[in-house]
Amino acid sequence: MNFDARDETILKEQTDRRQLQEIIAGLGEGILLIDPADGVVWANQQALVLHDATELSEIGTSAKEYRKRFLLKYRNNHTLTPDQYPIDRLLAGDTFDDVTVQVTKTSTKEENPWRCVQQLRGIALTDRNGKPESFALVIQDMTERFTAEERFERTFSANPAPAIICRLSDLRYVKVNRGFLEMTGYAASDLLGRSTYEIDVLEAAANRSEAVASLREGKTIPQIEATLRLPEGGSKFVIVAGQPIEIGDEPCMLFTFMDMEPRR
């Protein structure tokens, strides 16, 4: 049997693809390989797991089939438009990093449907001249992390004990619950994004210097007496404590308060 140059090129591409598949088959991240002409041509085992699938056909072998099978939303709950879907973006030549989406099956009718939170990275695989010849969609499972964060958000918001959280990297407040707002009279917009230097929850605290040092070092701050300045003037006597926590990958400090004003 005679092979022309085109046959040899196709055979080489298939060999190269097999070698690539062997390398990435066992990775902890999901991988979809996408060919500009043939669509989705291969998925490793983790990519199947992250789509609740047992074979590639259940994911879809084209961008259109993928959109038909899966509904993607950003973390702000906005549904992706067709041209924002990761496979469509790659086929349009648009590579990307760290895009987080919530994936659900369009066929699911259950009250609590299958859901996966994925962090996506789109990579172009180029030839020796730097021209894209195929693409890889790299998928990381973020479901457990975001589920834990959602549970924390619900618990934190519903907790009647006044609390506020600051990010340790810049000492800016990132979360506040209703209990703190009701105790002080602040609005959330007055606090979020502001620094502990502007609104000091350790003001007039006993052993203030030690408490501030613990805050900067991300260490536990035992219960101490302090004074909170109120937005309409005046102040409130409180007991405050600080507990280091992480939100996502960000080290933070959770301040909790006990209103001592009625006892003063």
Side-chain angles (χ1 to χ4, degrees):
M1 181 180 295
N2 295 324
F3 291 93
D4 59 22
R6 182 175 178 278
D7 293 328
E8 291 179 358
T9 300
I10 293 173
L11 183 60
K12 182 179 183 304
E13 289 177 352
Q14 291 173 340
T15 301
D16 291 344
R17 184 175 290 166
R18 278 199 303 272
Q19 291 174 343
L20 177 62
Q21 291 168 3
E22 289 173 3
I23 293 171
I24 63 180
L27 292 180
E29 297 172 314
I31 307 290
L32 294 180
L33 292 183
I34 302 159
D35 184 273
D38 300 325
V40 184
V41 294
W42 184 81
N44 70 350
Q45 182 59 36
Q46 184 65 359
L48 295 176
V49 170
L50 294 180
H51 287 87
D52 194 34
T54 56
E55 56 186 35
L56 182 60
S57 62
E58 296 175 39
I59 295 177
T61 55
S62 69
K64 183 177 180 180
E65 287 181 0
Y66 185 91
R67 292 196 306 273
K68 184 177 180 180
R69 287 168 171 76
F70 298 97
L71 176 66
L72 272 59
K73 293 185 178 182
Y74 291 120
R75 293 294 298 160
N76 60 9
N77 212 38
H78 288 178
T79 302
L80 273 66
T81 60
D83 61 334
Q84 292 174 329
Y85 268 65
I87 296 175
D88 293 84
R89 287 182 63 178
L90 285 172
L91 290 173
D94 180 17
T95 58
F96 47 87
D97 288 311
D98 299 335
V99 174
T100 302
V101 295
Q102 176 180 292
V103 183
T104 55
K105 288 184 173 180
T106 56
S107 60
T108 303
K109 303 298 183 182
E110 303 169 15
E111 184 176 344
N112 296 308
W114 174 88
R115 183 188 72 158
C116 182
V117 179
Q118 301 177 358
Q119 190 173 64
L120 308 174
R121 183 157 52 99
I123 302 171
L125 306 176
T126 60
D127 59 21
R128 67 183 63 185
N129 298 316
K131 180 181 179 182
E133 57 182 10
S134 59
F135 303 95
L137 182 64
V138 183
I139 310 167
Q140 186 174 356
D141 185 4
M142 306 295 287
T143 308
E144 184 175 342
R145 168 182 161 180
F146 281 102
T147 299
E149 288 183 8
E150 287 172 357
R151 284 198 300 267
F152 173 80
E153 287 279 359
R154 288 194 296 269
T155 303
F156 178 73
S157 299
N159 189 348
I164 192 169
I165 298 174
C166 81
R167 186 169 50 217
L168 292 180
S169 61
D170 57 7
L171 297 182
R172 293 188 179 276
Y173 296 114
V174 293
K175 294 185 184 298
V176 62
N177 73 354
R178 181 179 298 176
F180 186 88
L181 301 178
E182 291 178 349
M183 180 184 72
T184 61
Y186 281 106
S189 57
D190 297 329
L191 300 166
L192 299 181
R194 305 281 294 278
S195 78
T196 57
Y197 299 107
E198 297 174 274
I199 300 175
D200 188 355
V201 298
L202 297 173
E203 186 170 349
N207 302 319
R208 171 180 162 77
S209 59
E210 294 178 15
V212 171
S214 295
L215 171 61
R216 290 174 176 168
E217 295 170 14
K219 296 180 179 179
T220 298
I221 301 172
Q223 287 188 338
I224 53 175
E225 296 178 355
T227 301
L228 288 178
R229 290 190 181 275
L230 304 179
E232 301 300 327
S235 62
K236 185 177 286 285
F237 180 50
V238 297
I239 298 292
V240 59
Q243 178 63 42
I245 61 171
E246 283 195 0
I247 298 179
D249 295 326
E250 285 276 5
C252 297
M253 184 68 72
L254 167 65
F255 289 106
T256 53
F257 302 84
M258 185 184 305
D259 187 353
M260 302 300 292
E261 201 64 35
R263 305 185 189 182
R264 183 157 67 168

Short mmCIF file of all heavy atoms in Angstrom, two decimals, residues 191-242:
data_model
loop_
_atom_site.label_atom_id
_atom_site.label_comp_id
_atom_site.label_asym_id
_atom_site.label_seq_id
_atom_site.Cartn_x
_atom_site.Cartn_y
_atom_site.Cartn_z
N LEU A 191 -18.92 49.60 55.22
CA LEU A 191 -17.85 48.79 55.79
C LEU A 191 -17.04 48.02 54.75
O LEU A 191 -15.80 48.00 54.82
CB LEU A 191 -18.45 47.79 56.79
CG LEU A 191 -19.20 48.40 57.97
CD1 LEU A 191 -20.04 47.35 58.68
CD2 LEU A 191 -18.23 49.05 58.94
N LEU A 192 -17.72 47.37 53.81
CA LEU A 192 -17.03 46.49 52.87
C LEU A 192 -16.07 47.29 51.99
O LEU A 192 -16.43 48.29 51.39
CB LEU A 192 -18.04 45.73 52.02
CG LEU A 192 -19.00 44.83 52.80
CD1 LEU A 192 -19.94 44.10 51.87
CD2 LEU A 192 -18.23 43.84 53.67
N GLY A 193 -14.83 46.84 51.96
CA GLY A 193 -13.79 47.52 51.20
C GLY A 193 -13.03 48.54 52.02
O GLY A 193 -11.97 49.00 51.60
N ARG A 194 -13.56 48.90 53.19
CA ARG A 194 -12.85 49.85 54.06
C ARG A 194 -11.81 49.11 54.89
O ARG A 194 -11.92 47.91 55.14
CB ARG A 194 -13.85 50.55 55.00
CG ARG A 194 -14.99 51.26 54.28
CD ARG A 194 -14.59 52.59 53.72
NE ARG A 194 -14.27 53.56 54.76
CZ ARG A 194 -15.17 54.27 55.42
NH1 ARG A 194 -16.48 54.11 55.17
NH2 ARG A 194 -14.80 55.16 56.32
N SER A 195 -10.79 49.81 55.35
CA SER A 195 -9.72 49.17 56.10
C SER A 195 -9.95 49.27 57.59
O SER A 195 -10.76 50.09 58.08
CB SER A 195 -8.38 49.79 55.75
OG SER A 195 -8.21 51.03 56.41
N THR A 196 -9.24 48.44 58.33
CA THR A 196 -9.34 48.47 59.79
C THR A 196 -8.76 49.77 60.36
O THR A 196 -9.02 50.10 61.52
CB THR A 196 -8.60 47.28 60.41
OG1 THR A 196 -7.23 47.30 59.98
CG2 THR A 196 -9.24 45.97 59.98
N TYR A 197 -7.99 50.48 59.55
CA TYR A 197 -7.48 51.78 60.00
C TYR A 197 -8.59 52.84 59.96
O TYR A 197 -8.58 53.79 60.74
CB TYR A 197 -6.31 52.23 59.12
CG TYR A 197 -5.15 51.27 59.15
CD1 TYR A 197 -4.87 50.46 58.05
CD2 TYR A 197 -4.33 51.18 60.27
CE1 TYR A 197 -3.80 49.57 58.07
CE2 TYR A 197 -3.25 50.29 60.29
CZ TYR A 197 -3.00 49.49 59.20
OH TYR A 197 -1.95 48.62 59.22
N GLU A 198 -9.52 52.68 59.02
CA GLU A 198 -10.62 53.64 58.90
C GLU A 198 -11.72 53.36 59.92
O GLU A 198 -12.28 54.30 60.52
CB GLU A 198 -11.21 53.57 57.48
CG GLU A 198 -10.23 53.97 56.38
CD GLU A 198 -10.84 53.75 55.01
OE1 GLU A 198 -10.75 52.62 54.48
OE2 GLU A 198 -11.41 54.71 54.46
N ILE A 199 -12.07 52.10 60.07
CA ILE A 199 -13.08 51.70 61.06
C ILE A 199 -12.42 50.66 61.95
O ILE A 199 -12.29 49.49 61.57
CB ILE A 199 -14.34 51.14 60.37
CG1 ILE A 199 -14.95 52.21 59.46
CG2 ILE A 199 -15.35 50.67 61.41
CD1 ILE A 199 -16.12 51.74 58.64
N ASP A 200 -11.97 51.11 63.09
CA ASP A 200 -11.10 50.31 63.96
C ASP A 200 -11.93 49.57 65.01
O ASP A 200 -12.44 50.18 65.95
CB ASP A 200 -10.07 51.22 64.62
CG ASP A 200 -9.00 50.46 65.38
OD1 ASP A 200 -9.12 49.21 65.46
OD2 ASP A 200 -8.07 51.10 65.88
N VAL A 201 -12.04 48.24 64.85
CA VAL A 201 -12.82 47.46 65.81
C VAL A 201 -12.02 47.18 67.08
O VAL A 201 -12.57 46.62 68.04
CB VAL A 201 -13.31 46.14 65.19
CG1 VAL A 201 -14.22 46.41 64.02
CG2 VAL A 201 -12.14 45.26 64.78
N LEU A 202 -10.75 47.55 67.08
CA LEU A 202 -9.92 47.35 68.27
C LEU A 202 -9.62 48.67 68.98
O LEU A 202 -8.73 48.75 69.82
CB LEU A 202 -8.60 46.67 67.88
CG LEU A 202 -8.73 45.26 67.28
CD1 LEU A 202 -7.38 44.77 66.79
CD2 LEU A 202 -9.32 44.28 68.29
N GLU A 203 -10.38 49.70 68.63
CA GLU A 203 -10.11 51.02 69.20
C GLU A 203 -10.32 51.00 70.72
O GLU A 203 -11.30 50.43 71.22
CB GLU A 203 -11.03 52.07 68.57
CG GLU A 203 -10.73 53.49 69.01
CD GLU A 203 -11.49 54.51 68.20
OE1 GLU A 203 -12.09 54.12 67.17
OE2 GLU A 203 -11.50 55.68 68.60
N ALA A 204 -9.40 51.62 71.41
CA ALA A 204 -9.46 51.72 72.87
C ALA A 204 -9.49 50.35 73.55
O ALA A 204 -9.96 50.22 74.68
CB ALA A 204 -10.66 52.55 73.31
N ALA A 205 -8.98 49.33 72.84
CA ALA A 205 -8.99 47.99 73.42
C ALA A 205 -7.93 47.86 74.49
O ALA A 205 -6.86 48.48 74.43
CB ALA A 205 -8.73 46.95 72.33
N ALA A 206 -8.24 47.06 75.49
CA ALA A 206 -7.22 46.71 76.47
C ALA A 206 -6.15 45.88 75.75
O ALA A 206 -6.47 45.02 74.92
CB ALA A 206 -7.85 45.90 77.60
N ASN A 207 -4.88 46.17 76.06
CA ASN A 207 -3.78 45.48 75.37
C ASN A 207 -3.88 45.61 73.86
O ASN A 207 -3.69 44.66 73.12
CB ASN A 207 -3.74 43.99 75.76
CG ASN A 207 -3.60 43.78 77.25
OD1 ASN A 207 -2.85 44.48 77.91
ND2 ASN A 207 -4.34 42.81 77.77
N ARG A 208 -4.22 46.81 73.41
CA ARG A 208 -4.43 47.06 71.98
C ARG A 208 -3.21 46.68 71.15
O ARG A 208 -3.33 46.09 70.08
CB ARG A 208 -4.80 48.53 71.76
CG ARG A 208 -4.82 48.92 70.28
CD ARG A 208 -5.19 50.38 70.08
NE ARG A 208 -4.81 50.81 68.75
CZ ARG A 208 -5.48 50.51 67.64
NH1 ARG A 208 -6.57 49.77 67.71
NH2 ARG A 208 -5.07 50.94 66.46
N SER A 209 -2.03 47.05 71.59
CA SER A 209 -0.82 46.80 70.81
C SER A 209 -0.63 45.30 70.57
O SER A 209 -0.24 44.88 69.47
CB SER A 209 0.41 47.39 71.50
OG SER A 209 0.58 46.84 72.79
N GLU A 210 -0.92 44.49 71.59
CA GLU A 210 -0.80 43.04 71.42
C GLU A 210 -1.87 42.52 70.46
O GLU A 210 -1.61 41.63 69.64
CB GLU A 210 -0.94 42.35 72.78
CG GLU A 210 0.19 42.66 73.75
CD GLU A 210 -0.02 42.00 75.09
OE1 GLU A 210 -0.87 41.08 75.17
OE2 GLU A 210 0.65 42.39 76.06
N ALA A 211 -3.07 43.08 70.56
CA ALA A 211 -4.15 42.64 69.68
C ALA A 211 -3.84 42.99 68.23
O ALA A 211 -4.07 42.17 67.32
CB ALA A 211 -5.46 43.28 70.11
N VAL A 212 -3.33 44.20 67.98
CA VAL A 212 -2.97 44.61 66.62
C VAL A 212 -1.84 43.75 66.08
O VAL A 212 -1.85 43.35 64.90
CB VAL A 212 -2.59 46.11 66.59
CG1 VAL A 212 -2.02 46.48 65.24
CG2 VAL A 212 -3.80 46.98 66.92
N ALA A 213 -0.87 43.42 66.92
CA ALA A 213 0.23 42.55 66.48
C ALA A 213 -0.30 41.17 66.10
O ALA A 213 0.11 40.58 65.08
CB ALA A 213 1.28 42.43 67.59
N SER A 214 -1.24 40.63 66.88
CA SER A 214 -1.84 39.33 66.56
C SER A 214 -2.61 39.39 65.25
O SER A 214 -2.59 38.45 64.45
CB SER A 214 -2.76 38.88 67.70
OG SER A 214 -2.03 38.65 68.87
N LEU A 215 -3.32 40.51 65.03
CA LEU A 215 -4.05 40.69 63.78
C LEU A 215 -3.11 40.65 62.59
O LEU A 215 -3.35 39.94 61.61
CB LEU A 215 -4.82 42.01 63.81
CG LEU A 215 -5.47 42.47 62.50
CD1 LEU A 215 -6.50 41.46 62.03
CD2 LEU A 215 -6.10 43.85 62.66
N ARG A 216 -2.02 41.39 62.65
CA ARG A 216 -1.08 41.46 61.53
C ARG A 216 -0.39 40.12 61.28
O ARG A 216 -0.02 39.81 60.15
CB ARG A 216 -0.04 42.55 61.80
CG ARG A 216 -0.63 43.96 61.72
CD ARG A 216 0.36 45.01 62.13
NE ARG A 216 -0.19 46.36 61.95
CZ ARG A 216 0.36 47.46 62.45
NH1 ARG A 216 1.49 47.38 63.16
NH2 ARG A 216 -0.20 48.64 62.24
N GLU A 217 -0.22 39.33 62.36
CA GLU A 217 0.43 38.03 62.22
C GLU A 217 -0.56 36.90 61.97
O GLU A 217 -0.17 35.75 61.79
CB GLU A 217 1.23 37.73 63.48
CG GLU A 217 2.39 38.70 63.71
CD GLU A 217 3.02 38.54 65.08
OE1 GLU A 217 2.73 37.51 65.74
OE2 GLU A 217 3.80 39.42 65.49
N GLY A 218 -1.85 37.24 61.94
CA GLY A 218 -2.87 36.22 61.69
C GLY A 218 -3.04 35.25 62.84
O GLY A 218 -3.33 34.07 62.63
N LYS A 219 -2.87 35.73 64.09
CA LYS A 219 -3.01 34.88 65.26
C LYS A 219 -4.32 35.18 65.98
O LYS A 219 -4.89 36.26 65.85
CB LYS A 219 -1.83 35.11 66.21
CG LYS A 219 -0.47 34.72 65.64
CD LYS A 219 0.62 34.99 66.65
CE LYS A 219 1.99 34.59 66.11
NZ LYS A 219 3.07 34.88 67.09
N THR A 220 -4.76 34.22 66.78
CA THR A 220 -6.00 34.38 67.55
C THR A 220 -5.89 35.58 68.49
O THR A 220 -4.86 35.78 69.14
CB THR A 220 -6.29 33.11 68.36
OG1 THR A 220 -6.48 32.02 67.46
CG2 THR A 220 -7.54 33.29 69.22
N ILE A 221 -6.96 36.37 68.55
CA ILE A 221 -7.04 37.49 69.48
C ILE A 221 -8.04 37.10 70.57
O ILE A 221 -9.24 36.97 70.29
CB ILE A 221 -7.52 38.77 68.76
CG1 ILE A 221 -6.56 39.13 67.63
CG2 ILE A 221 -7.62 39.93 69.75
CD1 ILE A 221 -7.06 40.27 66.75
N PRO A 222 -7.57 36.88 71.80
CA PRO A 222 -8.50 36.51 72.88
C PRO A 222 -9.50 37.63 73.14
O PRO A 222 -9.29 38.78 72.73
CB PRO A 222 -7.57 36.31 74.09
CG PRO A 222 -6.19 36.15 73.51
CD PRO A 222 -6.18 36.96 72.25
N GLN A 223 -10.58 37.30 73.82
CA GLN A 223 -11.61 38.29 74.13
C GLN A 223 -11.02 39.47 74.91
O GLN A 223 -10.31 39.27 75.90
CB GLN A 223 -12.73 37.66 74.96
CG GLN A 223 -13.63 36.73 74.18
CD GLN A 223 -14.82 36.28 74.99
OE1 GLN A 223 -14.80 36.31 76.22
NE2 GLN A 223 -15.87 35.86 74.30
N ILE A 224 -11.30 40.67 74.40
CA ILE A 224 -10.84 41.89 75.07
C ILE A 224 -11.94 42.94 75.00
O ILE A 224 -12.81 42.90 74.13
CB ILE A 224 -9.55 42.45 74.43
CG1 ILE A 224 -9.74 42.64 72.92
CG2 ILE A 224 -8.35 41.59 74.72
CD1 ILE A 224 -8.57 43.32 72.23
N GLU A 225 -11.89 43.87 75.93
CA GLU A 225 -12.83 44.99 75.90
C GLU A 225 -12.36 46.01 74.87
O GLU A 225 -11.17 46.24 74.70
CB GLU A 225 -12.91 45.65 77.28
CG GLU A 225 -13.46 44.74 78.36
CD GLU A 225 -13.46 45.42 79.73
OE1 GLU A 225 -12.96 46.56 79.83
OE2 GLU A 225 -13.99 44.81 80.68
N ALA A 226 -13.30 46.62 74.16
CA ALA A 226 -12.97 47.63 73.15
C ALA A 226 -14.16 48.57 73.00
O ALA A 226 -15.24 48.34 73.56
CB ALA A 226 -12.62 46.98 71.82
N THR A 227 -13.95 49.62 72.20
CA THR A 227 -14.99 50.60 71.94
C THR A 227 -15.19 50.73 70.44
O THR A 227 -14.22 50.92 69.69
CB THR A 227 -14.62 51.97 72.54
OG1 THR A 227 -14.43 51.83 73.94
CG2 THR A 227 -15.72 52.98 72.28
N LEU A 228 -16.42 50.64 69.98
CA LEU A 228 -16.75 50.81 68.57
C LEU A 228 -17.32 52.20 68.34
O LEU A 228 -18.28 52.59 69.02
CB LEU A 228 -17.77 49.77 68.11
CG LEU A 228 -17.31 48.32 67.95
CD1 LEU A 228 -18.49 47.45 67.55
CD2 LEU A 228 -16.18 48.21 66.94
N ARG A 229 -16.75 52.92 67.40
CA ARG A 229 -17.35 54.20 67.01
C ARG A 229 -18.57 53.93 66.13
O ARG A 229 -18.52 53.09 65.24
CB ARG A 229 -16.33 55.06 66.26
CG ARG A 229 -15.23 55.58 67.16
CD ARG A 229 -14.39 56.62 66.43
NE ARG A 229 -13.31 57.11 67.28
CZ ARG A 229 -13.45 58.09 68.14
NH1 ARG A 229 -14.63 58.69 68.28
NH2 ARG A 229 -12.42 58.49 68.88
N LEU A 230 -19.64 54.68 66.35
CA LEU A 230 -20.88 54.48 65.61
C LEU A 230 -21.00 55.50 64.49
O LEU A 230 -20.46 56.61 64.59
CB LEU A 230 -22.07 54.57 66.55
CG LEU A 230 -22.02 53.60 67.74
CD1 LEU A 230 -23.25 53.78 68.63
CD2 LEU A 230 -21.91 52.16 67.27
N PRO A 231 -21.71 55.17 63.41
CA PRO A 231 -21.77 56.07 62.24
C PRO A 231 -22.45 57.41 62.53
O PRO A 231 -22.14 58.41 61.90
CB PRO A 231 -22.55 55.25 61.21
CG PRO A 231 -23.33 54.26 62.00
CD PRO A 231 -22.46 53.92 63.17
N GLU A 232 -23.37 57.43 63.46
CA GLU A 232 -24.09 58.66 63.78
C GLU A 232 -23.46 59.40 64.94
O GLU A 232 -24.06 60.30 65.53
CB GLU A 232 -25.55 58.34 64.09
CG GLU A 232 -26.29 57.66 62.94
CD GLU A 232 -26.32 58.52 61.70
OE1 GLU A 232 -26.37 59.76 61.84
OE2 GLU A 232 -26.29 57.96 60.59
N GLY A 233 -22.24 59.02 65.33
CA GLY A 233 -21.59 59.62 66.48
C GLY A 233 -21.77 58.76 67.71
O GLY A 233 -22.63 57.87 67.76
N GLY A 234 -20.98 59.01 68.73
CA GLY A 234 -21.06 58.19 69.92
C GLY A 234 -20.27 56.91 69.75
O GLY A 234 -19.57 56.70 68.75
N SER A 235 -20.37 56.02 70.72
CA SER A 235 -19.61 54.78 70.70
C SER A 235 -20.38 53.70 71.42
O SER A 235 -21.38 53.96 72.09
CB SER A 235 -18.24 54.99 71.34
OG SER A 235 -18.38 55.38 72.71
N LYS A 236 -19.89 52.49 71.31
CA LYS A 236 -20.52 51.34 71.95
C LYS A 236 -19.43 50.48 72.60
O LYS A 236 -18.41 50.17 71.97
CB LYS A 236 -21.32 50.51 70.94
CG LYS A 236 -22.11 49.37 71.56
CD LYS A 236 -22.93 48.65 70.51
CE LYS A 236 -24.14 49.48 70.08
NZ LYS A 236 -25.20 49.48 71.11
N PHE A 237 -19.66 50.12 73.84
CA PHE A 237 -18.73 49.28 74.60
C PHE A 237 -18.99 47.82 74.24
O PHE A 237 -20.14 47.34 74.33
CB PHE A 237 -18.93 49.53 76.09
CG PHE A 237 -18.03 48.72 76.97
CD1 PHE A 237 -16.66 48.66 76.77
CD2 PHE A 237 -18.58 48.02 78.05
CE1 PHE A 237 -15.86 47.92 77.61
CE2 PHE A 237 -17.77 47.27 78.88
CZ PHE A 237 -16.40 47.22 78.66
N VAL A 238 -17.93 47.07 73.83
CA VAL A 238 -18.09 45.69 73.39
C VAL A 238 -16.97 44.81 73.93
O VAL A 238 -15.92 45.31 74.37
CB VAL A 238 -18.10 45.58 71.84
CG1 VAL A 238 -19.26 46.33 71.23
CG2 VAL A 238 -16.76 46.06 71.26
N ILE A 239 -17.20 43.52 73.86
CA ILE A 239 -16.15 42.51 74.00
C ILE A 239 -15.91 41.98 72.59
O ILE A 239 -16.86 41.58 71.91
CB ILE A 239 -16.56 41.36 74.93
CG1 ILE A 239 -16.83 41.88 76.33
CG2 ILE A 239 -15.47 40.29 74.94
CD1 ILE A 239 -15.62 42.38 77.06
N VAL A 240 -14.65 42.00 72.13
CA VAL A 240 -14.33 41.55 70.79
C VAL A 240 -13.28 40.45 70.86
O VAL A 240 -12.41 40.46 71.74
CB VAL A 240 -13.83 42.72 69.90
CG1 VAL A 240 -12.61 43.38 70.51
CG2 VAL A 240 -13.53 42.25 68.48
N ALA A 241 -13.38 39.50 69.93
CA ALA A 241 -12.38 38.43 69.80
C ALA A 241 -12.11 38.21 68.33
O ALA A 241 -12.98 38.46 67.47
CB ALA A 241 -12.87 37.15 70.47
N GLY A 242 -10.91 37.75 68.00
CA GLY A 242 -10.54 37.51 66.61
C GLY A 242 -10.10 36.07 66.40
O GLY A 242 -9.34 35.52 67.20
#
